Amino acid sequence: MEHRTFEREIAGKKVTVEVGKVMSQANASVTVQIGETVILASASMSESSRPGMDFFPLMVDYEERYFAAGRIKGPRFMKREGRPSNEAILISRMIDRGLRPLFPQNMRNDVQVICLPLSLDNENRPDIVAMLAACAALHISDIPFEGPIAGLRVGMLNGHFVVNPTVEEMEYTDLQLVVMGNGERLTNVDCFANDIPDSEMLNAFGFAMDSLAPFAEFFDEIRKEVGKEKVEVLYREGASSDDQEIIEQIKKFIQPRLDKYLFNIPVGTKGERKKVLKGLKDEIHAEFAPKVKNDSKDEAAATSYINMLLGSFFYEYIEEQVTMSILDNDKRVDGRKLDQLRKLDAEIGIFPRIHGSGLFTRGETQILSIVTLGSPGDDLSVETMESDSNKKYFHHYNMLPYSVGDVRPIRGAGRREIGHGALAEKGLLPVLPEQEEFPYTIRVVSEVMSSNGSSSMGSTCGSTLALMDAGVPIKKPVGGIAMGLASDKTRWKVLTDLQDLEDGMGGMDFKFAGTKDGLTAVQM
């Protein structure tokens, strides 16, 4: 690709995008510069799809490089960057959430986006620059991607909204609203708010939407100049018209049986829904395996073939039918009204000797949160590329296999655990007492006992219970809930207290944490 440089002043800052200088073997790469913060992003896709996959394999990695900040960090005998820090994982997850909905969801080619910091100026935060670089690289690449989109942060200083506040300004802002979208629609929201009223938050969203459009338009102009033609990819290796014909026959077979299996009697638990869907699969096998067997397949091959077909569409199709039931009839699989919560239960002071505990239950989602109080010296040292700091309050979230009825190896905290823990932590920060009032180090651990619908917001509720049980003088209790959306792109209905099967295509998982007066954290 020819070396080109594009510049545009947006929201009072010059944005420079450079293409064609490095990474000639990636599908596309760009560097994006704001101030003296520079991020290199690459977008690469495998030539063939991965057989047997039942989800789109996207990887987004924000790779820390301490040289970008002119620092040499780490223990004396190990100076190489190693495992990603929590901050790097949170940035990777945030970018991933915004990009993922814009790929063809039936694509099975591996796609990897890597963001590499090259220069940090301690004024312009690298997470937003990395987000912009990732969006630009995918948009100009030949990888199937429905751009353009962009990302930005909205801060609020003295009652006024600011686009991409500086590091210094962020010390004083009551709001940090990160969004990804194109000015008309959003694909990702990640927000910290200092007990912000709903009306103020709504204004912030409107300001963010208006501010996104110039970035997206800039990337679209770059694509017109240097963009590659998007390639076509197969749904999976070996897909054929015969496969699709049988899939359509199975869908017709499923349709009249949905009332029997899902909607005639409200099915209350995730386990019960799994059981009835297994019964539906058994009927499909009984009906179609003999037909496939007659087409020169033995019994084992016929069973394997039907399983392969079901793996390619079954759960997505069921979610689609659940969505249509909500849109057409206001009917949910567990019989609730659209604005109805599941049964709530709360208990504190459960165990002896520990400092504080809370058991929070919402339907099948159940969280055990434990508080441990320590001396000021027990604080958590946090080392990042930009600075070092100490945290007096931190939250750890654990979700072991039993919480969803699985059996699998335990490998320690993964990206999901780190992300969910950070979200619940963010939700409690605004109500914690000042250090002068309560000088203890506070560690909260949330153990997911059972998960079916927003265990992160359940952890927020459990944390509140445990903190109060431990005698921590929080300013207000904080609760959390996940809202959903059922949509067919022309109609939409909002769902309260989202759970399994209700998060299909065109929908959302919108988590809100807050007090009775305002919001403290939002994520979509």
Side-chain angles (χ1 to χ4, degrees):
M1 183 181 291
E2 179 188 356
H3 180 207
R4 297 281 300 276
T5 301
F6 303 86
E7 293 182 351
R8 177 74 58 85
E9 185 166 316
I10 305 176
K13 294 182 179 180
K14 185 170 76 171
V15 181
T16 303
V17 178
E18 196 171 7
V19 301
K21 189 172 184 178
V22 294
M23 288 190 182
S24 61
Q25 298 192 57
N27 291 66
S29 67
V30 303
T31 59
V32 174
Q33 178 172 348
I34 299 179
E36 293 185 350
T37 293
V38 183
I39 306 291
L40 171 64
S42 67
S44 304
M45 182 177 71
S46 63
E47 292 186 1
S48 59
S49 62
R50 219 197 288 188
M53 292 290 291
D54 59 358
F55 63 91
F56 166 51
L58 171 67
M59 295 170 283
V60 177
D61 295 291
Y62 175 84
E63 286 283 306
E64 293 173 310
R65 293 294 184 265
Y66 278 86
F67 62 67
R71 308 182 79 193
I72 300 175
K73 298 296 292 181
R76 183 176 181 184
F77 297 103
M78 184 61 179
K79 297 300 183 182
R80 174 188 287 273
E81 292 86 353
R83 183 182 184 276
S85 68
N86 282 5
E87 181 184 32
I89 289 171
L90 295 175
I91 293 172
S92 299
R93 279 173 53 84
M94 186 164 58
I95 297 172
D96 184 305
R97 286 198 308 271
L99 299 177
R100 190 174 290 272
L102 298 178
F103 292 93
Q105 295 305 296
N106 59 359
M107 191 166 84
R108 295 298 179 261
N109 298 60
D110 288 271
V111 174
Q112 185 171 36
V113 177
I114 298 176
C115 299
L116 198 66
L118 301 180
S119 174
L120 304 180
D121 63 8
N122 292 319
E123 180 178 344
N124 297 283
R125 290 283 289 122
D127 54 353
I128 297 300
V129 184
M131 191 178 290
L132 292 170
C135 294
L138 280 167
H139 192 48
I140 69 170
S141 76
D142 57 354
I143 300 170
F145 181 76
E146 295 179 24
I149 64 164
L152 56 81
R153 174 180 282 108
V154 171
M156 187 168 68
L157 296 166
N158 300 319
H160 298 286
F161 296 125
V162 180
V163 175
N164 295 335
T166 65
V167 172
E168 183 178 357
E169 287 172 335
M170 285 169 61
E171 293 287 326
Y172 305 100
T173 182
D174 287 325
L175 175 71
Q176 293 185 33
L177 172 62
V178 177
V179 296
M180 293 179 71
N182 61 7
E184 296 181 358
R185 297 190 178 193
L186 296 177
T187 58
N188 177 46
V189 174
D190 198 289
C191 175
F192 164 78
N194 190 13
D195 210 10
I196 300 291
D198 294 354
S199 58
E200 202 71 66
M201 185 64 74
L202 188 60
N203 292 335
F205 271 101
F207 180 81
M209 295 285 273
D210 292 340
S211 302
L212 274 172
F215 288 97
E217 291 166 3
F218 181 36
F219 293 160
D220 219 17
E221 291 176 14
I222 295 172
R223 172 164 179 78
K224 289 174 184 176
E225 293 286 330
V226 299
K228 300 178 181 179
E229 184 179 352
K230 299 294 184 182
V231 300
E232 293 186 9
V233 297
L234 289 174
Y235 169 71
R236 63 177 185 274
E237 293 292 349
S240 68
S241 57
D242 290 341
D243 293 343
Q244 196 59 44
E245 183 179 341
I246 296 175
I247 287 173
E248 293 305 317
Q249 291 176 18
I250 294 174
K251 286 181 179 179
K252 290 179 182 178
F253 180 82
I254 291 173
Q255 190 65 47
R257 289 164 173 77
L258 287 176
D259 280 343
K260 170 186 174 182
Y261 282 98
L262 283 180
F263 300 123
N264 66 331
I265 299 173
V267 182
T269 70
K270 188 175 180 179
E272 289 170 335
R273 282 187 284 279
K274 283 183 177 180
K275 186 175 180 180
V276 296
L277 289 177
K278 182 182 182 303
L280 179 55
K281 279 186 171 183
D282 290 343
E283 274 201 43
I284 293 168
H285 271 283
E287 176 71 17
F288 287 92
K291 295 179 181 179
V292 173
K293 183 181 176 183
N294 291 337
D295 295 335
S296 70
K297 287 184 173 69
D298 61 31
E299 186 172 345
T303 299
S304 177
Y305 178 71
I306 296 297
N307 281 333
M308 188 252 317
L309 292 182
L310 290 174
S312 71
F313 81 94
F314 182 76
Y315 283 106
E316 289 84 354
Y317 182 71
I318 294 297
E319 286 180 344
E320 178 186 321
Q321 298 309 305
V322 169
T323 295
M324 297 310 297
S325 172
I326 292 167
L327 291 173
D328 293 338
N329 305 309
D330 287 351
K331 186 182 287 188
R332 302 172 77 170
V333 291
D334 62 358
R336 279 185 294 149
K337 297 177 181 178
L338 301 191
D339 62 353
Q340 185 178 355
L341 288 164
R342 289 171 291 175
K343 183 177 181 295
L344 302 179
D345 190 69
E347 188 178 347
I348 61 170
I350 304 166
F351 305 110
R353 298 189 70 85
I354 60 176
H355 297 156
S357 60
L359 182 65
F360 174 77
T361 307
R362 184 196 335 103
E364 284 187 284
T365 296
Q366 186 178 58
I367 311 294
L368 174 65
S369 293
I370 308 291
V371 167
T372 304
L373 302 177
S375 69
D378 289 327
D379 58 0
L380 176 66
S381 295
V382 180
E383 178 185 285
T384 69
M385 291 187 300
E386 299 169 272
S387 64
D388 299 335
S389 61
N390 296 307
K391 294 174 68 171
K392 299 293 185 182
Y393 158 70
F394 43 96
H395 175 261
H396 293 146
Y397 166 106
N398 297 312
M399 185 173 173
L400 298 177
Y402 56 70
S403 63
V404 289
D406 281 354
V407 177
R408 63 176 184 268
I410 299 172
R411 305 297 189 200
R415 286 189 171 196
R416 185 178 186 278
E417 284 78 7
I418 290 168
H420 279 34
L423 177 59
E425 178 180 299
K426 191 185 299 182
L428 272 296
L429 273 172
V431 303
L432 293 175
E434 302 298 330
Q435 280 292 307
E436 295 76 16
E437 178 188 359
F438 195 78
Y440 299 92
T441 295
I442 305 169
R443 182 192 185 213
V444 184
V445 178
S446 290
E447 300 284 349
V448 181
M449 301 288 102
S450 176
S451 177
N452 183 15
S454 195
S455 54
S456 62
M457 292 296 92
S459 298
T460 303
C461 298
S463 295
T464 294
L465 294 170
L467 287 166
M468 291 192 293
D469 184 48
V472 179
I474 61 174
K475 298 166 188 174
K476 303 173 186 177
V478 174
I481 193 68
M483 304 296 289
L485 185 77
S487 171
D488 62 2
K489 296 188 178 182
T490 58
R491 300 174 294 163
W492 56 270
K493 290 183 179 178
V494 175
L495 309 175
T496 299
D497 189 13
L498 189 69
Q499 64 173 342
D500 69 303
L501 298 183
E502 294 180 340
D503 190 18
M505 286 294 293
M508 67 179 184
D509 182 356
F510 214 164
K511 307 168 194 287
F512 291 88
T515 71
K516 61 183 177 64
D517 299 314
L519 293 167
T520 58
V522 183
Q523 189 178 92
M524 180 186 75

